[in-house]
Amino acid sequence: MDHLQPIGIFDSGYGGLTVMREIVQLLPEYDYLYLGDNARTPYGNRSFETVFHYTWQCVQYLFSCNCHLVILACNTASAKALRTIQQRYLPVSFPERRVLGVIRPTTEKAREFTLTGALGILATQGTVQSGSYVMEIKKFFPDVRVYQQACPMWVPLVENNEHLGPGADYFVEKYIQQLFQQAADIDALLLACTHYPLLLPKISKYVPPHVRLISQGPLVATSLKDYLRRHPEIDQCCSKTGRRDFLTTDSAEWFARQATVFYGEKVEAQQIRLDAV
Ligand code: DGL
């Protein structure tokens, strides 16, 4: 694997696999290396400093595996760590490497999602508190009204494979009701956490039928394709033999078992130690 230059895909746990799945489908020829920080997930309710520290450690690990381009397939990491990595750390320590997130590819399309101009954002506590979605969307589309709702119980439900069980209904209904109490004319809901597409069957049960539900995977994949076309100097640093590898900071066996739910096919994983960076 030493000769390969895979595209790195990072998430706090399994959620990024919902993004990787779409990327791989659109750009199958590239090599990919996924890293899930399962030992320290969830990130959603951690401080800015902690999320930054964990994310930067994982990005550097992916750099050490020869990834020239890393996608933070995690909203919490994109909201709390991406800007610092891009502006402060890469220029000094890794000027040739690139790190991209999932917020920009989503927010730049926000106007297309809603007819009423009222857009709901469902996300982790960390993403909501960062205000990143509100700021970015206002920058592109000042006329869009953005309503946010933190859903702190959703990631634990998904990570514990309880997202389709009867226990999930209570928390899905609760957060959706809280969001619609903010504005009844919301006609589009953005699932701004890479874990949430797994909850779609439950979410659709509690959302009025005319409301559009938007998952990020396809948006991020299309945006990456466009990025690679516009940046041939980065594209040529990404090898293309169609290989996929999976790393986790926790048990490889658990990862392989659970990852299928998110990725849609069986994977084999390898456990890594981050202190080896
Ligand atoms: N999947 C991540 C996101 O998109 C966060 C999950 C977590 O809380 O770690 O925000």
Side-chain angles (χ1 to χ4, degrees):
M1 197 177 133
D2 282 357
H3 60 289
L4 297 180
Q5 295 175 309
I7 295 177
I9 301 186
F10 164 72
D11 182 47
S12 61
Y14 301 110
L17 290 167
T18 63
V19 174
M20 176 164 170
R21 187 179 175 163
E22 302 291 338
I23 292 178
V24 162
Q25 203 176 323
L26 191 67
L27 300 164
E29 66 277 27
Y30 290 84
D31 299 314
Y32 297 95
L33 180 59
Y34 185 88
L35 170 54
D37 191 6
N38 299 81
R40 301 187 294 196
T41 200
Y43 280 14
N45 43 11
R46 294 189 190 276
S47 69
F48 183 93
E49 289 72 23
T50 302
V51 172
F52 170 74
H53 172 67
Y54 288 177
T55 304
W56 182 226
Q57 211 179 10
C58 290
V59 167
Q60 287 180 90
Y61 191 92
L62 287 167
F63 285 170
S64 76
C65 298
N66 232 3
C67 297
H68 284 250
L69 174 63
V70 172
I71 314 293
L72 302 185
C74 172
N75 285 276
T76 311
S78 299
K80 292 189 163 188
L82 181 63
R83 190 174 296 234
T84 311
I85 290 176
Q86 284 178 335
Q87 295 180 356
R88 298 237 310 262
Y89 285 76
L90 291 186
V92 176
S93 311
F94 299 95
E96 309 294 325
R97 313 270 172 135
R98 294 291 178 272
V99 180
L100 305 174
V102 288
I103 296 180
R104 180 73 187 258
T106 314
T107 52
E108 63 191 13
K109 294 270 183 287
R111 195 67 195 90
E112 296 168 21
F113 305 152
T114 163
L115 289 175
T116 61
L119 174 65
I121 308 273
L122 298 163
T124 64
Q125 195 81 50
T127 301
V128 167
Q129 276 167 358
S130 75
S132 302
Y133 272 95
V134 180
M135 275 176 324
E136 287 276 317
I137 293 172
K138 285 280 163 231
K139 213 165 60 194
F140 291 125
F141 311 106
D143 62 317
V144 173
R145 284 171 290 129
V146 183
Y147 301 94
Q148 302 193 91
Q149 177 63 45
C151 312
M153 291 303 290
W154 286 9
V155 169
L157 281 168
V158 174
E159 289 279 323
N160 289 290
N161 212 2
E162 287 291 341
H163 53 287
L164 298 179
D169 287 89
Y170 174 79
F171 286 109
V172 171
E173 186 177 17
K174 178 179 168 164
Y175 299 143
I176 287 177
Q177 266 180 8
Q178 285 175 355
L179 179 66
F180 279 93
Q181 273 160 14
Q182 297 182 49
D185 65 337
I186 292 171
D187 67 344
L189 284 190
L190 174 63
L191 307 186
C193 170
T194 54
H195 282 65
Y196 295 175
L198 274 283
L199 280 156
L200 266 172
K202 292 279 184 200
I203 297 172
S204 343
K205 241 171 102 177
Y206 297 104
V207 166
H210 70 279
V211 173
R212 208 171 145 198
L213 296 174
I214 298 132
S215 300
Q216 293 176 297
L219 300 169
V220 176
T222 310
S223 162
L224 176 60
K225 184 175 179 180
D226 183 51
Y227 178 88
L228 290 168
R229 185 186 50 77
R230 287 184 291 109
H231 295 276
E233 75 289 2
I234 303 296
D235 185 66
Q236 71 191 20
C237 296
C238 301
S239 56
K240 301 173 188 73
T241 70
R243 191 178 161 122
R244 291 91 178 85
D245 288 283
F246 300 85
L247 306 175
T248 173
T249 53
D250 210 327
S251 153
E253 203 185 308
W254 291 351
F255 185 91
R257 208 176 312 139
Q258 186 75 339
T260 317
V261 180
F262 293 80
Y263 191 56
E265 62 184 75
K266 226 170 152 338
V267 307
E268 269 185 37
Q270 190 193 327
Q271 182 170 4
I272 56 150
R273 288 183 55 125
L274 286 170
D275 51 16
V277 179

